[in-house]
Amino acid sequence: MEFGVFPLVDGGAEETVTSTDYYWDNSKRSEVNRINIQRTLSGEAFFQDGEGRRMVGVGKVMLFTQREDSIYGYPATAIERYRHRYLSIDPSPTVTPLFHRLRDDFGAVLLMNGKGEAASFFDEIFQRFTERGFRDRYHELELMTLLFTAMYREQVEETRKRRPLDYGHYLIHNQFRNALNVEEIAGRCGMTREHFIRAFKMQYDRSPGHLLRELRLKNAEFLLRSTQKAVGMIALDCGYSNSNVFCRAFRSYYGVSPAKFRLEKTLNL
């Protein structure tokens, strides 16, 4: 059995610093290239990378790896001590992609509401590491997957007010299998349907309806190819209200009915 796919929390501690001697240049560190999550409990630190210098105060975390081109530390302007907790995780092909997806989509300094779901998972992992309370490696994988998923969800929710179009884009990608329409999505973004469509198209160079339809039909194509589900069930699984609406949309996009598409692909195997 290959255990390398299961992540390992191999570091974690709570620290309090009050001096600018607390300064780390990740590009010059000698440790293995672990992934790290550092959560501010009081005071603040700074984090600096190619996107500039940001302050990491209460309610925020920094995400980084050793050997990357970034620095962090205690700012010279600080007026109170910086107390934080960190977790260091041995890279694995299971959670490392989630870590990098968070950073790629939202940056290295993220929100973490102290009373939110992500903070709860962070605290549980921290406590289990310090008390040696993990049941096994599978338990570590489970908790870390839940942590990164909750962190991602928290960042998406934060875009609702600050970047409503991005929030709408996330909604479409994450919930296209639900029976949502463009008007409902626009309402959840705090915009009228007309304004949302116009602004969305300007930002993403396609209409929200076009994106929603494409995601649903590509998912339907996959299900027709890979399962024996009835066409009516596939329609519901892909967010359509009934099979008639689905079949019309599918024929318009692919030029054939779902049933004929499945038959042709089966004969070509």
Side-chain angles (χ1 to χ4, degrees), residues 17-229:
V17 297
T18 58
S19 169
T20 54
D21 290 342
Y22 182 77
Y23 177 92
W24 294 94
D25 184 339
N26 284 317
S27 68
K28 297 179 180 179
R29 297 176 76 163
S30 59
E31 300 99 324
V32 297
N33 195 27
R34 297 183 183 95
I35 60 179
N36 297 271
I37 311 171
Q38 188 156 308
R39 178 185 174 198
T40 300
L41 301 177
S42 64
E44 62 181 4
F46 73 86
F47 182 89
Q48 184 172 324
D49 59 9
E51 297 182 5
R53 183 182 174 108
R54 286 93 78 201
M55 304 310 294
V56 189
V58 176
K60 292 184 178 180
V61 295
M62 62 175 84
L63 276 63
F64 59 91
T65 64
Q66 279 97 346
R67 301 182 184 175
E68 70 174 39
D69 189 14
S70 65
I71 59 175
Y72 66 95
Y74 187 77
T77 56
I79 58 175
E80 62 177 303
R81 60 185 184 174
Y82 169 54
R83 185 167 64 93
H84 65 274
R85 286 180 172 178
Y86 73 86
L87 292 170
S88 182
I89 302 165
D90 189 46
S92 77
T94 46
V95 300
T96 301
L98 290 172
F99 172 88
H100 287 296
R101 181 63 187 269
L102 266 169
R103 295 230 323 179
D104 290 346
D105 288 356
F106 301 106
V109 177
L110 305 182
L111 296 171
M112 183 177 282
N113 184 330
K115 297 182 179 180
E117 185 180 38
S120 177
F121 286 127
F122 181 95
D123 288 341
E124 181 175 357
I125 294 170
F126 182 86
Q127 181 177 357
R128 288 185 180 276
F129 171 76
T130 54
E131 298 177 0
R132 300 181 181 178
F134 292 114
R135 295 196 300 272
D136 48 37
R137 295 285 293 277
Y138 320 126
H139 190 206
E140 290 183 71
L141 170 61
E142 177 185 6
L143 289 176
M144 280 186 272
T145 301
L146 289 170
L147 169 62
F148 286 128
T149 303
M151 289 176 67
Y152 198 96
R153 185 179 291 116
E154 185 171 341
Q155 310 316 305
V156 170
E157 285 299 316
E158 178 61 19
T159 67
R160 186 197 295 260
K161 293 181 181 179
R162 297 187 297 109
R163 306 197 312 273
L165 292 176
D166 288 345
Y167 181 70
H169 194 256
Y170 287 121
L171 275 181
I172 292 172
H173 275 276
N174 291 332
Q175 299 188 26
F176 67 86
R177 288 176 294 182
N178 298 342
L180 285 174
N181 58 42
V182 172
E183 185 171 2
E184 290 172 311
I185 295 169
R188 290 173 65 173
C189 295
M191 304 169 72
T192 65
R193 180 179 182 276
E194 293 72 19
H195 183 203
F196 177 69
I197 292 174
R198 183 167 58 252
F200 191 98
K201 191 170 184 179
M202 288 181 62
Q203 180 160 322
Y204 294 106
D205 201 29
R206 59 166 62 183
S207 71
H210 181 273
L211 176 60
L212 186 61
R213 180 168 57 254
E214 184 176 82
L215 290 170
R216 285 173 169 168
L217 291 173
K218 290 296 184 183
N219 188 49
E221 177 188 346
F222 171 77
L223 293 174
L224 288 167
R225 288 175 180 270
S226 61
T227 75
Q228 294 301 313
K229 283 187 174 183

